[in-house]
Each structure stands twice: as structure tokens, then as C-alpha cells.
């Protein structure tokens, strides 16, 4: 006899996704996507608010601020390192000479050079920067994308929150946290630059054609019919039917297929972003936003440069970042999408101003740079500064909580709103930050 039960391991809405179906191997779709769509559609859509999407470029490992967006050309050699500073298209603002394309896009973003944090540990700092909450083992706070998915819901049948690279690459932070895994992002694995790239849960699994998907859908419908007859919670199950339908529609709809198919882009546009994992992920992020995704995180790791900092940066990391990030800003602007798309660049901390004995830079949370552009924020400016050695803020110190409040404010989220945890504890969306007035 088939065993269907409700009750244990519930999410924040009191319903366990796993409880709806305990028959292994019957679903080609899985339970996470329908559950996610269910929660997302339940979120309120606020009439009259400008619809803003967000693309977060996450530099996992902690990028060197002094070698990217806060160069110190007049500092001693052991501080300034091997790179020089170059002018941008905004008078008086300089970037690293390894970012020439971004230097010509300076009018499309602003730099926060005085962001400071007390946390120099990868895992806990990742949580801090992705949520705006200092890490505590007692509570896993939700990330920006999960909160935005809950607040705004799904649009055009697309998942509201998409992540390139998986939660594990973010030390399992930045997801639904205490709100429940139903608000975790829709994960896209694989390399979009690969000719055979396809998206798990959007393209059917290998060896499964659409006829098989349809048959499995029929089985699900029959099981759900049995469940409706056997279970008193008929209304809940009928509601879930609608979201299995949406999940099925996602992998069969022309909108979703087009959104995930980079082959539909012309070669010139693909070249603009760079024919590599990061560049094509940025391009796919733009396509996700066009199709109705609210929040996209692109994870570009490898910035933990304790050794050979300058070789790693100049031979790989910075050229790839320069082309992909600049291409994204340029493309969004040309398509008239930049004003409605907030683009954020950041990592978990900066790197030590002084170069170590291994020609590397170590963890340095005392000063770091964060970039924001689009989405209605003011651009072409630098907010705050670090001292002459890039060690600490010289003026206008900006906390991580302030960065979080600014992101929420730009997205139209009431960052002082409270959520209730499953333990009935109230938590504000933002810890105690204040939006950065120079940007808004």
C-alpha cells in the first residue's frame, strides 16, 4: 500500500514537500521546484512599485580591493603591488590597469570603498555579506534572493531566484535560512560556455524524452487523485496540483526554453561577455532577468589568493571579470534594462594591503570594496575611501548591514519588516542597517 502522510519536517508554511509524495523515482521533476513555485506565488505583488530585478556577482574567496577598485598608486611597492592605476570615463576615478573595459563603464556603476567588517573567516563572512546578518550558529538567516522571492513572488512562470554554481559553493549560505528550503534558489550547475550545456530540471534528464515526462506527469496526477480521496487535507493537495502543473509547464514552455538557450544569442553578443564560464553565466543571467527571474546570483570563485596573487589576477581572474562584468553592464544599458536591473559586485572580504612572502595577499575584512549599478541607484561615483595604505576606512565607514539595507531599499523591500521563524521568533529582514543615502 502506498504510504502518504503529512506532518513531520514542515517548512515555514507548515507543509513538508517530502510528505506529499513518498514514491521513489516516479517524478522527473522532483519536489523542490513545485514547492518553490507554491511559496513564490503566495508572495504578495505590490501594485505601483517599480519592478526591479537584481544580478549579484559574487566573488567567492575574497577579492583584493587594492588590486581592483581601490588602487593606491602612491603607496610603497609592498602595498600597491605590481599593478598600476588607470583613469576611467569618470574624471578623478581610477581603477586597476587590469580592468580597462570596466574603466570605460564607470558611468554605469558606483564604488563603495569604505565597506568594513569584523569577520575575516570565509564561511561566516560569506553568511554575513549574503544576508546582512552577522553569523551565529543558532540561526541561519535568509539571503537577499530568498527574501526577494518571498516578497515579490514568481513572474511569467519563471522561478524568482536563480543561482549559478550551487549552495555548496556559497558554504550553504544565501538560501532560505529559517524561512525554509522552499525559498532556496533554483540551482543551475554546469558550464554555460559548454556547447552541450543544458539546465537540470528544465531540460529532461538524459534518456528521458517528453513522452516519458508526460507519462510520469500522468502517474503523478493519478497518485494525487488517490491522495485527494485518502487524505482529509484535500484543499492542500489540490493546491499542490497547480504547482506540479507549473513545474511541468516550466520544462515545456517556449519562454523557459528560450531563456535557457544561449544558442539563440548572436555570436557578437556572446563574444562581448567572453567565451568562458563566468562571461556566459553573466549573459545567461541577463536572459533570466528578461524572462522574469527576480534575483540571479552568479558565483565566480577562486579569489583566495594567499599565494601568487598577481599572476592569478592578471592571467585569469581579472581579464575574465573585466570582460564579463563590463559586457553585462554594456548589454543591459543597450537593451534599456539597466535602470530596472540592480547589479551588485562583492565578495566576503578584501585582502591584506601588504604583500606576503608568497607574493600573495591574505584575508582582510577591515576594508573592502563593493560595487553597485543600475536599478535606479546613482552611478559614476565613489562613496567613502580607505586610508593611503588601503587598511581601514578613511571616511564614511560603511557596514555590511548598510550594504544589505541599500540592496533591499533599491529593490523596494521593506527592510524593517519582520518575519516569524518556525519557532515563532520575530526577525527583521535587515539587522540594523541604514541605506547608503549617496546611492539612493
Amino acid at each position: 500500500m502506498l504510504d502518504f502522510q503529512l506532518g513531520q519536517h514542515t517548512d515555514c508554511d507548515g507543509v513538508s514537500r517530502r510528505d506529499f509524495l513518498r514514491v521513489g523515482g516516479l517524478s522527473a521533476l522532483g519536489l523542490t521546484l513545485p514547492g518553490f513555485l507554491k511559496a513564490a506565488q503566495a508572495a504578495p505583488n505590490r501594485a505601483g512599485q517599480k519592478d526591479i530585478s537584481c544580478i549579484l556577482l559574487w566573488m567567492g574567496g575574497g577579492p583584493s580591493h587594492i588590486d581592483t577598485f581601490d588602487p593606491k598608486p602612491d603607496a610603497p611597492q609592498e602595498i600597491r603591488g605590481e599593478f598600476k592605476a588607470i583613469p576611467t570615463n569618470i574624471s578623478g576615478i581610477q581603477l586597476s590597469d587590469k580592468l580597462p573595459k570596466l574603466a570605460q563603464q564607470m558611468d554605469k556603476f558606483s564604488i563603495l570603498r569604505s565597506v568594513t567588517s569584523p569577520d575575516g573567516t570565509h564561511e561566516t563572512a560569506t553568511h554575513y555579506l549574503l544576508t546582512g546578518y552577522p553569523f551565529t550558529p543558532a540561526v541561519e538567516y535568509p539571503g537577499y534572493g530568498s527574501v526577494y522571492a518571498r516578497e515579490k513572488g514568481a513572474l511569467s512562470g519563471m522561478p524568482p531566484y536563480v543561482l549559478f554554481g550551487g549552495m555548496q559553493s556559497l558554504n550553504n549560505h544565501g538560501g532560505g535560512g529559517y524561512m525554509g528550503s522552499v525559498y532556496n534558489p533554483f540551482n543551475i550547475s554546469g558550464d554555460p560556455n559548454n556547447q552541450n550545456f543544458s539546465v537540470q530540471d528544465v531540460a529532461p534528464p538524459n534518456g528521458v524524452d517528453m513522452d516519458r515526462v508526460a507519462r510520469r506527469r500522468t502517474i503523478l496526477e493519478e497518485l494525487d487523485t488517490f491522495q485527494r480521496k485518502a487524505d482529509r487535507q484535500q484543499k492542500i493537495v489540490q493546491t499542490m496540483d497547480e504547482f506540479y502543473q507549473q513545474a511541468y509547464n516550466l520544462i515545456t514552455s517556449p519562454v523557459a526554453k528560450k531563456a535557457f538557450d544561449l544558442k539563440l544569442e548572436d555570436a557578437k553578443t556572446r563574444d562581448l561577455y567572453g567565451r568562458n564560464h563566468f562571461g556566459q553565466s553573466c549573459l545567461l543571467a541577463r536572459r533570466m532577468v528578461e524572462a522574469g527571474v527576480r534575483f540571479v546570483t552568479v558565483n565566480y570563485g577562486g579569489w583566495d589568493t594567499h599565494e601568487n596573487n598577481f599572476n592569478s589576477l592578471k592571467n585569469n581572474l581579472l581579464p575574465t571579470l573585466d570582460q564579463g562584468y563590463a559586457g553585462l553592464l554594456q548589454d543591459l544599458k543597450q537593451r534599456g534594462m539597466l535602470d530596472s536591473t540592480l547589479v551588485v559586485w562583492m565578495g566576503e572580504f578584501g585582502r591584506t594591503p601588504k604583500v606576503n612572502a608568497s607574493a600573495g595577499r591574505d584575508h582582510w575584512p577591515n576594508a573592502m570594496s563593493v560595487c553597485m549599478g543600475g536599478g535606479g541607484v546613482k552611478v559614476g561615483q565613489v562613496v567613502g575611501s580607505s586610508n593611503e595604505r588601503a587598511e581601514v576606512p578613511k571616511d564614511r565607514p560603511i557596514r555590511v548591514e548598510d550594504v544589505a539595507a541599500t540592496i533591499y531599499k533599491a529593490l523596494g523591500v521593506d527592510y524593517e519588516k519582520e518575519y516569524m521563524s518556525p519557532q515563532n521568533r520575530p526577525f527583521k529582514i535587515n539587522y540594523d542597517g541604514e541605506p547608503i543615502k549617496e546611492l539612493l
Side-chain angles (χ1 to χ4, degrees), residues 44-52 148 152 294 410-413:
N45 288 314
R46 293 168 175 79
Q49 283 192 354
K50 186 178 180 180
D51 211 19
I52 303 292
Y148 201 42
K152 297 290 285 186
R294 305 281 194 179
L411 295 176
V413 173

Side-chain angles (χ1 to χ4, degrees), residues 61-376:
S64 169
H65 55 301
I66 198 170
D67 296 317
T68 54
F69 295 101
D70 192 12
K72 300 294 182 181
D74 298 326
Q77 175 69 33
E78 66 269 20
I79 299 295
R80 71 174 184 268
E82 298 180 10
F83 304 156
K84 299 178 181 179
I86 57 172
T88 68
N89 63 358
I90 298 296
S91 177
I93 301 178
Q94 294 182 317
L95 301 184
S96 165
D97 65 343
K98 305 307 175 188
L99 300 175
K101 292 182 171 64
L102 277 168
Q104 296 308 306
Q105 303 297 324
M106 188 67 237
D107 59 331
K108 299 178 182 64
F109 67 100
S110 291
I111 307 171
L112 309 176
R113 283 182 174 164
S114 56
V115 179
T116 184
S117 161
D119 194 338
T121 302
H122 284 297
E123 180 172 358
T124 54
T126 296
H127 177 277
Y128 194 14
L129 269 293
L130 288 176
T131 67
Y133 266 84
F135 176 81
T136 169
V139 180
E140 177 71 25
Y141 293 98
Y144 310 123
S146 295
V147 170
Y148 201 42
R150 177 170 174 171
E151 286 293 298
K152 297 290 285 186
L155 185 66
S156 303
M158 298 293 290
Y161 179 19
V162 168
L163 166 66
F164 293 87
M167 291 296 296
Q168 187 174 2
S169 66
L170 301 178
N171 292 307
N172 293 316
H173 299 307
Y178 64 75
M179 298 192 309
S181 59
V182 70
Y183 290 104
N184 281 348
F186 180 77
N187 181 44
I188 296 177
S189 58
D191 184 356
N193 192 47
N194 190 314
Q195 184 176 359
N196 299 318
F197 170 76
S198 63
V199 181
Q200 184 182 5
D201 291 335
V202 174
N206 290 335
V208 180
D209 59 25
M210 292 313 300
D211 289 338
R212 287 186 65 189
V213 172
R215 288 197 298 271
R216 292 184 180 193
R217 177 191 175 205
T218 300
I219 294 172
L220 282 172
E221 290 173 348
E222 291 175 354
L223 290 170
D224 286 342
T225 299
F226 173 85
Q227 173 71 356
R228 285 195 297 270
K229 293 179 180 179
D231 201 299
R232 294 181 180 179
Q233 302 195 42
Q234 180 177 357
K235 184 176 180 180
I236 297 176
V237 178
Q238 287 176 337
T239 300
M240 285 302 295
D241 285 346
E242 299 173 9
F243 295 96
Y244 276 109
Q245 177 68 43
Q246 288 189 34
Y248 178 79
N249 290 342
L250 180 60
I251 71 168
T252 58
S253 75
V255 173
K257 285 184 177 180
K258 288 181 179 179
F260 288 102
D261 190 356
L262 283 176
K263 295 177 183 177
L264 297 177
E265 290 286 341
D266 61 71
K268 184 177 179 180
T269 302
R270 296 196 68 174
D271 291 342
L272 173 70
Y273 284 81
R275 297 286 187 141
N276 51 65
H277 192 163
F278 176 71
Q280 297 305 294
S281 294
C282 288
L283 174 54
L284 194 53
R286 189 219 80 206
R287 293 181 64 84
M288 297 293 95
V289 168
E290 279 184 309
V293 175
R294 305 281 194 179
F295 198 105
V296 182
T297 296
V298 177
N299 181 36
Y300 180 28
W303 296 87
D304 195 23
T305 53
H306 291 280
E307 299 178 354
N308 297 317
N309 173 75
F310 301 101
N311 286 333
S312 296
L313 292 180
K314 69 183 179 184
N315 295 331
N316 180 24
L317 292 166
L318 291 185
T320 301
L321 170 68
D322 189 42
Q323 185 167 9
Y325 188 4
L328 175 63
L329 293 171
Q330 181 180 336
D331 197 20
L332 288 172
K333 181 67 174 180
Q334 290 175 346
R335 292 171 182 271
M337 296 174 60
L338 190 58
D339 286 344
S340 61
T341 308
L342 177 68
V343 182
V344 180
W345 179 94
M346 64 182 179
E348 60 262 47
F349 38 64
R351 313 292 306 179
T352 49
K354 189 173 182 178
V355 180
N356 65 28
S358 300
R361 297 190 192 268
D362 302 313
H363 302 183
W364 192 260
N366 300 338
M368 69 180 97
S369 294
V370 171
C371 300
M372 291 191 195

